């Protein structure tokens, strides 16, 4: 079907059938925040909820794409259908992501049971998390049993993207100091499974012990994140890594946690997207309104305190009054 010939009905039907061109077109609409994308996701949303989402995160260069490629090969041997969304917030290119890393996934491009998409931040008017969530829902509606979400690093947008995953895998590499710093900076609250890739590295065992000692400080969690040493390029211990992901899924399901986690994640996503939209609206309103800009000028000249400015701006833009004189935060 030619680019301009898709309608809401034919796109929805194509996505339901798992048609690759329909999926590609639908995700492009999502990336560009096209009105048709909202209608499409609204139509398909009642049919979602079957896909299992696995977030894969970690510092740049640790081998996430190679590891995902190896895991995809493993699950495809079990004839399970797969979607991969590779998120690259740092891409300087318009409406696309840097594809260098994705070459690792090229083995799967011709496999009809695997759909791979790279996404950059450009063009996402509502934010990266919003576009990723909608792309995940489309892959879910298309019948993909497993969807991998790959992100770089652990900035705000990555944490939001990872916030929609059922199981989160943190990939680290021995000998990279930033990895251990990342653990200490609180990213340890994120992962459910940890992979230390490049297991042949002389520092692999040392890192394993460091990570284990950091994890031991958290005695609150019922689930203890397992640590797996892997070698993605040779596919070593990939089966063990997958078994840990499956074990986490079984744990969530047996405890009734999976449904609860999804409810929490989706609620969080609604608030995250609403916050992004509200912030964009607020910034636009202030830029267009001389009176609101004057308030900011007064704050900058220290003639008006910031919280009084907040109170006035919220009242004017969102009609949020502060009758009791309470702190508007």
């Amino acid at each position: 079907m030619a680019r301009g010939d898709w309608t809401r009905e034919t796109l929805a039907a194509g996505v339901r059938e798992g048609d690759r061109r329909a999926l590609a077109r639908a995700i492009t609409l999502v990336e560009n925040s096209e009105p048709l994308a909202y209608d499409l996701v609204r139509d398909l949303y009642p049919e979602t909820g079957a896909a299992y989402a696995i977030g894969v995160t970690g510092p740049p260069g640790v081998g996430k794409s190679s590891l995902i490629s190896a895991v995809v090969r493993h699950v495809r041997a079990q004839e399970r259908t797969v979607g991969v969304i590779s998120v690259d917030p740092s891409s300087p290119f318009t409406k696309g992501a840097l594809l260098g890393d994705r070459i690792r996934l090229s083995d799967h491009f011709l496999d009809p049971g695997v759909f791979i998409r790279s996404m950059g931040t450009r063009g996402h008017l509502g934010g990266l998390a919003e576009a990723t969530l909608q792309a995940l829902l489309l892959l879910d509606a298309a019948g993909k049993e497993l969807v991998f979400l790959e992100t770089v690093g652990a900035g705000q947008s990555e944490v939001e993207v990872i916030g929609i995953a059922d199981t989160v895998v943190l990939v680290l590499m021995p000998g990279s100091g930033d990895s251990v710093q990342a653990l200490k900076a609180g990213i340890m609250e994120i992962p459910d499974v940890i992979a230390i890739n490049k297991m042949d590295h002389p520092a692999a065992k040392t890192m394993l012990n460091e990570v284990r000692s950091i994890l031991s400080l958290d005695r609150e969690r019922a689930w203890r994140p397992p640590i797996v040493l892997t070698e993605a390029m040779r596919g070593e211990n990939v089966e063990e890594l997958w078994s840990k992901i499956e074990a986490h899924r079984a744990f969530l399901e047996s405890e009734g946690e999976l449904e609860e986690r999804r409810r929490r994640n989706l609620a969080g996503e609604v608030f995250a997207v609403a916050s992004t939209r509200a912030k964009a609206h607020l910034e636009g309103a202030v830029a267009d309104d001389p009176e609101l800009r004057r308030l900011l000028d007064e704050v900058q000249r220290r003639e008006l305190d910031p919280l009084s400015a907040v109170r006035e701006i919220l009242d004017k833009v969102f009609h949020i009054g502060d009758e009791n004189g309470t702190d508007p935060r």
Side-chain angles (χ1 to χ4, degrees), residues 3 11 22-38 40-41 84-89 91 93-99 102 115-136 138 277:
R3 181 175 177 140
L11 259 184
L23 255 178
R25 182 71 190 129
I27 293 175
T28 298
L29 292 171
V30 158
E31 284 200 279
N32 296 339
S33 302
E34 300 274 351
L36 179 56
Y38 296 108
L40 189 60
V41 173
V84 181
I85 303 170
S86 290
V87 177
D88 189 343
S91 171
F93 300 112
T94 309
K95 298 188 183 71
L98 292 165
L99 289 167
R102 316 304 173 235
F115 185 92
I116 297 167
R117 182 64 172 249
S118 269
M119 297 174 79
T121 42
R122 296 296 178 92
H124 298 158
L125 304 179
L128 192 55
E130 176 181 337
T132 309
L133 173 66
Q134 290 191 302
L136 168 63
L138 290 169
R277 294 280 177 93

Side-chain angles (χ1 to χ4, degrees), residues 49-60:
Y52 195 80
I54 299 137
V56 182
T57 190

Side-chain angles (χ1 to χ4, degrees), residues 263-289:
R263 285 166 61 90
R264 197 168 58 242
N265 287 353
L266 285 166
E269 204 51 42
V270 168
F271 285 120
V273 173
S275 300
T276 305
R277 294 280 177 93
K279 185 181 178 208
H281 177 72
L282 192 60
E283 286 172 349
V286 171
D288 295 340
D289 188 321

